[in-house]
Amino acid sequence: MKYPWRHVLSGNVSRVTELQSHQGNAEAESVGQWEMSTYAQVNRLRGVPETAFFWFHDRQGQRHYLWVTFSLHERAVSEADLSEVRAAFEEVFPGRTLEDNDWLPGDQDMAQVEVHVPDDFRRFSAFLVKDDRRLPLPVGRVQHFKLEPFTHWAGQTSDEVTPEMRKLFQMGPPV
């Protein structure tokens, strides 16, 4: 089953530059810096979220990496138990059927999976938000690092990033 939703960050965030999203139906998407405005504007259906990777800048301009899982335990070996996430989506989108996966959602149909970034970067929370509904989602494992500009991983330095890599990071691959 797919639902109309997208990821957003709230709290100590000035802008999201990249994200990777993995859904419970084994789909995944990666959104580069040059694609973020399109991601925020294009409506589409996705499976329930399983994990998300965010690269973002806080309100002071510091770059960060955040990885969040949306399950508290496994259903089977290495398989996340997404029953709480599915229950929240079914509450917000009651009565959906597989045939509903065939339509293109409008703006009024879209929900957000909001990950809240606290000022102290310690206790992250997540919610499914649609209209005036705000349902908590489980946040299992979390990994967070402060990063140097134009880097993606802890320990990587900006000195290692060439001008060509910076351009690719900002503009994407040549078309």
Side-chain angles (χ1 to χ4, degrees), residues 25-174:
N25 63 354
E27 290 181 338
E29 67 184 318
S30 294
V31 182
Q33 181 173 339
W34 63 96
E35 303 166 306
M36 284 307 296
S37 64
T38 302
Y39 173 81
Q41 294 173 15
V42 174
N43 298 338
R44 63 177 281 227
L45 298 170
R46 296 172 173 88
V48 298
E50 182 174 351
T51 62
F53 302 76
F54 300 95
W55 288 267
F56 67 97
H57 290 83
D58 65 22
R59 288 181 285 212
Q60 289 70 44
Q62 172 67 51
R63 184 168 164 77
H64 296 267
Y65 159 80
L66 174 64
W67 171 65
V68 178
T69 64
F70 298 102
S71 66
L72 301 176
H73 49 279
E74 294 177 335
R75 193 174 78 82
V77 177
S78 74
E79 180 185 330
D81 180 353
L82 298 174
S83 58
E84 292 176 68
V85 179
R86 279 192 185 89
F89 273 84
E90 288 173 12
E91 187 173 331
V92 170
F93 298 102
R96 282 188 60 81
T97 65
L98 286 175
E99 288 76 25
D100 294 326
N101 289 349
D102 294 335
W103 59 271
L104 183 63
D107 290 340
Q108 73 281 358
D109 303 312
M110 293 300 291
Q112 297 178 342
V113 171
E114 175 187 315
V115 176
H116 181 76
V117 177
D119 288 338
D120 65 4
F121 294 97
R122 290 192 185 179
R123 293 189 184 245
F124 299 90
S125 52
F127 305 91
L128 177 60
V129 180
K130 183 169 185 323
D131 302 325
D132 60 348
R133 302 192 71 182
R134 185 178 184 83
L135 300 178
L137 295 177
V139 173
R141 293 180 289 174
V142 173
Q143 189 176 58
H144 166 257
F145 297 110
K146 286 184 177 181
L147 300 174
E148 287 193 29
F150 300 102
T151 64
H152 284 87
W153 311 113
Q156 189 179 19
T157 66
S158 295
D159 296 338
E160 300 172 40
V161 182
T162 66
E164 293 80 18
M165 291 166 70
R166 285 180 192 227
K167 183 177 179 184
L168 184 63
F169 175 80
Q170 292 175 312
M171 307 302 287

